[in-house]
Every structure is written in structure tokens, then in C-alpha cells.
Amino acid sequence: MASLRRVKVLLVLNLIAVAGFVLFLAKCRPITTKSGDSFHDIHPRAEVVNLTAHGVSSIQDAVLKRLSLLEDIVYRQLNGLSKSLGLIEGYGGRGKGGLPATLSPEEEEKAKGPHEKYGYNSYLSEKISLDRSIPDYRPTKCKELKYGKDLPQISIIFIFVNEALSVILRSVHSAVNHTPAHLLKEIILVDDNSDEEELKAPLEEYVNKRYPGLVKVVRNQKREGLIRARIEGWKAATGQVTGFFDAHVEFTAGWAEPVLSRIQENRKRVILPSIDNIKQDNFEVQRYENSAHGYSWELWCMYISPPKDWWDAGDPSLPIR
């Protein structure tokens, strides 16, 4: 807490310094008066001319250098939050680019228990950065589409129960990293009465310090199940649009704009983005080809080939009904 307070104090002091510098420049600007139809500058002191002409760049360099140093200090403080949990931040490391991540033979032995517990390799997940890069599989035409700046804001809601902490936090980091800030209203984590201690105080302390004011945690006092948990998240949401996700996902760039644009056109729409697969053993990101989502008569979710008229249109950026 003391280190966090020092960072806050440094931020305030640097903001004051920058504001003072701006005011200083405003005071030192040349005075312009009108004489007939022409304008000319009055410089009461030659030193002012020298300062405005030659000294500003050096002062700006000094301010930028100071701000860069402050940024490094803040990043180290924030990165230290994940280290205290035994986790990693940054865009490199194992699994970078959505490639398969691996463990050493010694690590493989340690991973067996957690793998059976969670249904995926949670031990390996802890060795993969919370910010890892993943491939952008969007068709070229999708990347070229332009969207207005007045799109509605979204509240992203994650539902979890006894999920691995690293997987939950990677979902949060991924949402923040790949959702435009002006479109992301908040992230809501709904805990459907988990038993794991790391999902209690450690989770709340991390998100409150790492993303203050952006991430909310809602806790059910008893196990409610998926749909009731989603409703609790919806009750806490303040965004114009709500998006419901499992807490073991990773977002790609440009995911939000087409979704919000479609809903802006018709608020009654329910949109389901194309979902690629993250393999449970090595966290490789596996592309799913163009498909619609539907259900079998047993209500199992399934992927359906798009209808003929969609294929005939020859435009992979079109939505699939």
C-alpha cells in the first residue's frame, strides 16, 4: 500500500509540473499588437526571445524524460502485482502469438494434479503471460471495415466458479487490451460461490489495484447456476450493451466494433461473435472456419455451415443469421 501511495504522489507531482510548464509557456508567449494593417511582436526582454526560440525544446525533452521515468515506475509497480501471485505480464513468453506452449519434463509432473482438477493445464497457464499476443484471424475485408465513434459502450460480464486465477486474469487483461477504451464501460466478474481461496481476497486486491474502478466483483452467496449468475451480472452492469462470456477466453483486436455496430442498428439483436478454440493442453489458439452457431435437438451447442445465400454473396465480412 505504501508503494502504491508513492506512485500516486509521483503522478500528482508530475501532473502539477506539466501544468506549471504549460502555464509558463503561455505566460512567455510573444505579445502581438496591431499597427495599421500589420501585426508585429513585442519582446520586452531578449532573454524571452532566446527562451521561446531555443530553450523550449530542451525543457520539453526534460519533461518527457521525467514522464517516461514515471511511466516505468508505474509499470514496475503494476507488474509487481502479478508477480506476487506467481503470474507474468507482457507480450512475450510461452504461447506467444497463440502458438502451443510447453513444459519441461519436471514441470509436466507438477502439472498433472491441477490439470485433472480444472479440466485444462492450469499449471501451464501460470507460465503464460496474462497479456500474450494471439493471431488475428479476421478476413481481410473485416479488417478494412470502418465504424463510427458513437458506438454504445459495453459491460463485459465473466461468470466463473472455481476457475484457475491465471485464466480469469488473462480473460480480463485480454478484454482490456483489445477493447477500445471509449467502448469498454466496465468488466464484471461474477463468482458463483467459488471455494478457492485465491479467487477471494487475492483476486479482488489484484483487480482493484491493477484496474481501479474498471473491474467489479459480484459474489453469489450460494451456487446459483449459469443463468442466474448472468442475471446477477446484468443487474450490476451500467453499460448500454452487456456481453456474457466464460472466464476462460481471449479477445482479438477489432472484436467489439462489429458487435456494437449491429446492436446499434437494432437493439433487439443478440450477437454471437465467431469463437476460435483455445486447446486445453497447450493453450494453442486454433482457428475455426466460417460458421454459424446453433443447437441440436438435445440443446448441445454446435457449429453450422453458413447458408448458401451467404456463400453466394462472396463477402466473409457479412453476418451469418
Side-chain angles (χ1 to χ4, degrees), residues 30 114 173 320:
H173 275 246
I320 305 170

Side-chain angles (χ1 to χ4, degrees), residues 103-111 123:
L103 293 171
S104 67
E106 295 78 13
E107 291 174 325
E108 289 284 0
E109 286 299 314
K110 297 178 182 178
Y123 183 87

Side-chain angles (χ1 to χ4, degrees), residues 3 105 151 164:
S3 61
L151 294 174

Side-chain angles (χ1 to χ4, degrees), residues 87-114:
L87 304 178
I88 306 165
E89 293 190 42
Y91 292 96
R94 305 187 206 187
K96 177 183 177 182
L99 295 175
T102 58
L103 293 171
S104 67
E106 295 78 13
E107 291 174 325
E108 289 284 0
E109 286 299 314
K110 297 178 182 178
K112 288 182 179 178

Side-chain angles (χ1 to χ4, degrees), residues 165-185:
L165 178 61
S166 62
V167 172
I168 295 175
L169 294 183
R170 188 174 300 109
S171 301
V172 173
H173 275 246
S174 179
V176 174
N177 292 342
H178 295 112
T179 308
H182 70 285
L183 299 180
L184 181 58
K185 178 66 174 180

Side-chain angles (χ1 to χ4, degrees), residues 42-316:
I42 299 176
H43 301 288
R45 290 174 59 98
E47 290 82 355
V48 175
V49 178
N50 292 333
L51 176 64
T52 56
H54 307 292
V56 171
S57 61
S58 61
I59 296 175
Q60 289 176 331
D61 289 342
V63 171
L64 290 174
K65 184 177 181 180
R66 185 174 179 81
L67 289 175
S68 178
L69 177 62
L70 177 63
E71 185 179 29
D72 290 339
I73 293 172
V74 172
Y75 179 77
R76 285 197 298 271
Q77 290 289 336
L78 295 177
N79 197 30
L81 296 176
S82 61
K83 286 182 178 178
S84 66
L85 297 174
L87 304 178
I88 306 165
E89 293 190 42
Y91 292 96
R94 305 187 206 187
K96 177 183 177 182
L99 295 175
T102 58
L103 293 171
S104 67
E106 295 78 13
E107 291 174 325
E108 289 284 0
E109 286 299 314
K110 297 178 182 178
K112 288 182 179 178
H115 196 302
E116 294 174 0
K117 178 179 180 180
Y118 291 106
Y120 51 75
N121 198 336
S122 61
Y123 183 87
L124 175 59
S125 175
E126 294 175 357
K127 310 302 179 184
I128 298 173
S129 173
L130 301 178
D131 300 301
R132 75 152 175 174
S133 58
I134 60 175
D136 185 349
Y137 286 137
R138 290 177 296 165
T140 301
K141 192 162 184 179
C142 289
K143 299 176 184 179
E144 295 172 349
L145 293 175
K146 305 297 182 183
Y147 299 94
K149 295 183 179 180
D150 61 339
L151 294 174
Q153 289 186 311
I154 186 170
S155 295
I156 293 177
I157 301 171
F158 292 118
I159 311 298
F160 69 91
V161 53
N162 292 333
E163 195 92 51
L165 178 61
S166 62
V167 172
I168 295 175
L169 294 183
R170 188 174 300 109
S171 301
V172 173
H173 275 246
S174 179
V176 174
N177 292 342
H178 295 112
T179 308
H182 70 285
L183 299 180
L184 181 58
K185 178 66 174 180
E186 64 208 347
I187 295 174
I188 299 173
L189 302 176
V190 182
D191 174 14
D192 197 21
N193 199 234
S194 296
D195 304 315
E196 298 292 334
E197 286 300 321
E198 68 176 5
L199 300 181
K200 297 178 182 178
L203 171 62
E204 288 206 38
E205 289 176 5
Y206 178 88
V207 296
N208 288 339
K209 292 178 181 178
R210 187 65 177 81
Y211 300 113
L214 181 64
V215 180
K216 303 176 183 177
V217 180
V218 175
R219 298 195 185 273
N220 292 337
Q221 298 306 306
K222 63 184 181 71
R223 191 71 51 79
E224 297 287 357
L226 177 61
I227 301 306
R228 288 194 180 96
R230 285 181 171 179
I231 292 172
E232 291 305 311
W234 174 78
K235 289 177 181 177
T238 61
Q240 296 165 281
V241 175
T242 50
F244 298 93
F245 299 90
D246 293 327
H248 44 256
V249 300
E250 294 180 55
F251 296 82
T252 55
W255 77 272
E257 293 89 333
V259 169
L260 298 176
S261 177
R262 294 278 293 159
I263 294 175
Q264 187 180 51
E265 292 171 2
N266 183 350
R267 63 185 296 273
K268 295 183 179 180
R269 285 176 176 153
V270 176
I271 308 298
L272 185 59
S274 177
I275 302 175
D276 296 315
N277 184 42
I278 301 174
K279 292 186 177 180
Q280 62 183 23
D281 295 323
N282 57 22
F283 288 81
E284 177 186 3
V285 179
Q286 179 185 43
R287 180 181 182 179
Y288 276 153
E289 296 301 324
N290 295 324
S291 60
H293 296 262
Y295 295 89
S296 68
W297 285 109
E298 292 83 16
L299 294 184
W300 287 103
C301 180
M302 57 189 295
Y303 294 94
I304 304 170
S305 179
K308 184 177 181 299
D309 58 352
W310 187 88
W311 288 110
D312 291 343
D315 184 355

